[in-house]
């Protein structure tokens, strides 16, 4: 069962480490990443039960406006750290399943790939005479 893989202790601990490493700002609940472990020690059984029962409701995202160089703004949605943990756990399992079927030429949001790799590959194509 996919949900059991997602909620496995190993996967959740890996997701927790990733969320802690990424740091990031707090969501609408104002809980910083540094408080997540302590929060989970007390609340994880109830959260896990809600997920398994299909009743878990993510919190709204906190909206932040990021100024653009041209004077406009870009809207950024910041989930709570608990929701980021759950999203990360899901992404880890689904990436293992679906990433192998993606095109070799796809670079966006892929493991072991970056925007720098995309630029490097584009330069390679240009040097080979493609336009």
């Amino acid at each position: 069962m996919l949900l059991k893989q997602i909620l496995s202790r190993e996967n959740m601990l890996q997701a927790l480490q990733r969320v802690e490493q990424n740091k990031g700002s707090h969501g609408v609940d104002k809980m910083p990443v540094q408080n997540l472990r302590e929060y989970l020690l007390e609340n994880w059984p109830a959260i896990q039960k809600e997920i398994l029962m299909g009743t878990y409701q993510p919190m709204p995202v906190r909206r932040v406006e990021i100024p653009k160089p041209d004077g406009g703004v870009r809207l950024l949605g910041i989930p709570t750290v608990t929701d980021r943990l759950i999203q990360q756990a899901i992404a880890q399992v689904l990436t293992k399943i679906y990433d192998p079927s993606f095109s070799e030429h796809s670079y966006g949001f892929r493991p072991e790939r970056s925007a720098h790799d995309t630029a490097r590959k584009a330069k390679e194509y240009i040097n080979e005479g493609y336009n």
Side-chain angles (χ1 to χ4, degrees), residues 1-9 11-12 89 93 97:
M1 176 183 205
L2 202 54
L3 204 46
K4 289 201 187 243
Q5 287 179 22
I6 291 167
L7 297 175
S8 72
R9 181 175 175 78
N11 189 55
M12 293 306 301
V93 171
I97 295 168

Side-chain angles (χ1 to χ4, degrees), residues 79-97:
T80 65
V81 292
T82 304
D83 289 339
R84 288 203 306 258
L85 170 73
I86 295 166
Q87 291 169 8
Q88 180 63 41
I90 293 167
Q92 288 170 179
V93 171
L94 293 183
T95 297
K96 289 177 188 172
I97 295 168

